[in-house]
Amino acid sequence: MPYKLHEHTADIRLEVTGESLAGLFSETMKAMNAVSCPGFSSEMVERRVEVSSPDILSLLVDFLNEIVFLGQVHHEAYEELQTVAVTETHFKGVVKGRKIISMEEEIKAVTLHEASVRQTEKGTWLANLVLDI
C-alpha cells in the first residue's frame, strides 16, 4: 500500500457562552484570540464582515472562518465585534483589531466536527467548537 493513515490530534475544543446571540459571536472571536495569543502592533484596523448560512451552527462556524481568513490575509487579529444585525441565518457587523507582530498558535480553521450551538433554558447561548490548529 503506497500510503498509511495515522491518528493526529491537532485541534482545540472550545465551550463558549454568550448572553445573547450577538454576544456568542463576540465571545467566540475572543476565545480564538486566547488560543492564538497574538502579539499586537499599535496599528488599529477595522473590517466589515457579512455572512449568510442555512442555520445558526453553520453561520457561527462560517463567521469564525471568515475571521480566520481576514486575519491571515491581512496579518491582523480582531479584539472587538460590533454587531449590526444577527439572525439565525445572517450576520452583519464590524470587527476591530490590530496588526499582528507575533502569534503563538495559528488557527487553520473552525470545523463543524462535534460542533453545536444552542440556547439554554436561561436564554443564554452555548457553543461547542473545534479549532483545527
Side-chain angles (χ1 to χ4, degrees), residues 14-35:
L14 295 176
E15 182 176 294
V16 183
T17 57
E19 292 298 316
S20 64
L21 190 52
L24 182 66
F25 278 66
S26 179
E27 293 302 326
T28 54
M29 185 182 74
K30 290 175 185 176
M32 287 196 325
N33 270 347
V35 168

Side-chain angles (χ1 to χ4, degrees), residues 25 29 32-33 47 49 51 61-73 76-78 81 91 94-95:
F25 278 66
M29 185 182 74
M32 287 196 325
N33 270 347
R47 304 271 175 211
V49 178
V51 181
V61 170
D62 290 346
F63 163 77
L64 294 171
N65 280 319
E66 181 69 8
I67 297 302
V68 169
F69 171 76
L70 289 171
Q72 289 174 346
V73 167
E76 300 167 348
Y78 309 103
L81 176 63
F91 178 88
V94 175
V95 291

Side-chain angles (χ1 to χ4, degrees), residues 3 6 16 21 30 48 60 82 91 100 102 112 121 123 125:
Y3 62 89
H6 299 279
V16 183
L21 190 52
K30 290 175 185 176
R48 296 184 190 285
L60 181 60
Q82 293 179 333
F91 178 88
I100 296 172
S102 66
L112 285 169
E121 291 177 8
W125 288 85

